[in-house]
Amino acid sequence: MTLPDAVRDELLARWREPHRHYHGESHLRFGLAVLDELGAGDLERITFWCHDAVHTNTTPDDERASAALTRQLLAGHLAEETLREVERLVLLTATHAPRPGDARGALVCDADLAALGLPWERYAANTVAIRAELPDVTDDAWRTGRAAVLRTLLGLPRLFHTDLAAARWEVPARANLRRELRGLGA
């Protein structure tokens, strides 16, 4: 199961939109590589192509719009049951909270969050890129909102849902989140 060329081209054009500094093509390619590392299949890869197809920094509206676009682009190319599963997985990236036993959801969510466990320099560069996607947010509002996100993530019992992702990225991700939170003065 692969994306039709026209669908791939449409999605790639969206990933390359100029307002995307973090949620752009490099995030797509990184996530696809992580899915390969985690042993994911084509369905999870197609989901990752679609999960940020619409990106305006408005969760969960972006995920809903991405799921709707997924249906529009892939109807007729995927069986209805498969298309519904891709839509479900796209929507799951709004919360990154798959249910126990949801192997596909765990893979997609872990690929989306894997960058949290990168070496500090890359993590920090990603944070700068995320900040650049919010030019209308004041610095004070950014610090307050970002600190809340970091605290929420740190409060989770586990950031990653697959054992492999947890073994690779849980410890460095938590260290990065704590370090960034300290840097925000929170």
Side-chain angles (χ1 to χ4, degrees):
M1 172 184 359
T2 59
L3 288 171
D5 289 343
V7 172
R8 185 180 182 281
D9 292 345
E10 168 70 19
L11 291 171
L12 197 53
R14 289 173 173 277
W15 283 95
R16 291 176 174 164
E17 292 168 334
H19 69 278
R20 295 173 181 249
H21 300 276
Y22 172 76
H23 293 94
E25 188 176 356
S26 63
H27 174 60
L28 169 65
R29 298 210 181 278
F30 177 76
L32 292 171
V34 168
L35 285 171
D36 288 344
E37 286 181 54
L38 297 177
D42 289 340
L43 193 139
E44 293 86 7
R45 291 178 60 79
I46 287 172
T47 298
F48 208 83
W49 269 94
C50 297
H51 86 285
D52 278 334
V54 176
H55 186 70
T56 63
N57 283 301
T58 54
T59 296
D61 292 341
D62 283 349
E63 290 77 8
R64 288 185 193 123
S66 293
L69 181 65
T70 296
R71 174 157 291 279
Q72 176 188 334
L73 292 175
L74 293 175
H77 297 288
L78 298 177
E80 180 60 27
E81 182 179 327
T82 303
L83 182 54
R84 279 195 307 270
E85 177 67 353
V86 172
E87 288 176 295
R88 180 187 76 81
L89 293 170
V90 167
L91 292 170
L92 188 56
T93 63
T95 62
H96 300 101
R99 291 185 175 164
D102 181 1
R104 287 180 175 149
L107 289 165
V108 170
C109 291
D110 285 358
D112 201 24
L113 294 181
L116 295 176
L118 289 171
W120 172 253
E121 294 74 22
R122 287 185 63 197
Y123 173 93
N126 285 341
T127 301
V128 169
I130 291 167
R131 174 66 178 107
E133 291 181 345
L134 298 163
D136 296 332
V137 174
T138 66
D139 288 341
D140 285 343
W142 161 258
R143 282 189 295 276
T144 301
R146 185 68 178 174
V149 167
L150 298 173
R151 284 189 195 99
T152 298
L153 290 169
L154 286 166
L156 295 173
R158 187 167 158 170
L159 295 167
F160 298 100
H161 305 281
T162 64
D163 291 340
L164 182 55
R168 288 186 182 173
W169 299 303
E170 187 79 24
V171 170
R174 287 187 177 279
N176 285 337
L177 295 169
R178 285 190 299 271
R179 183 172 178 180
E180 183 186 357
L181 189 59
R182 284 191 308 272
L184 291 172

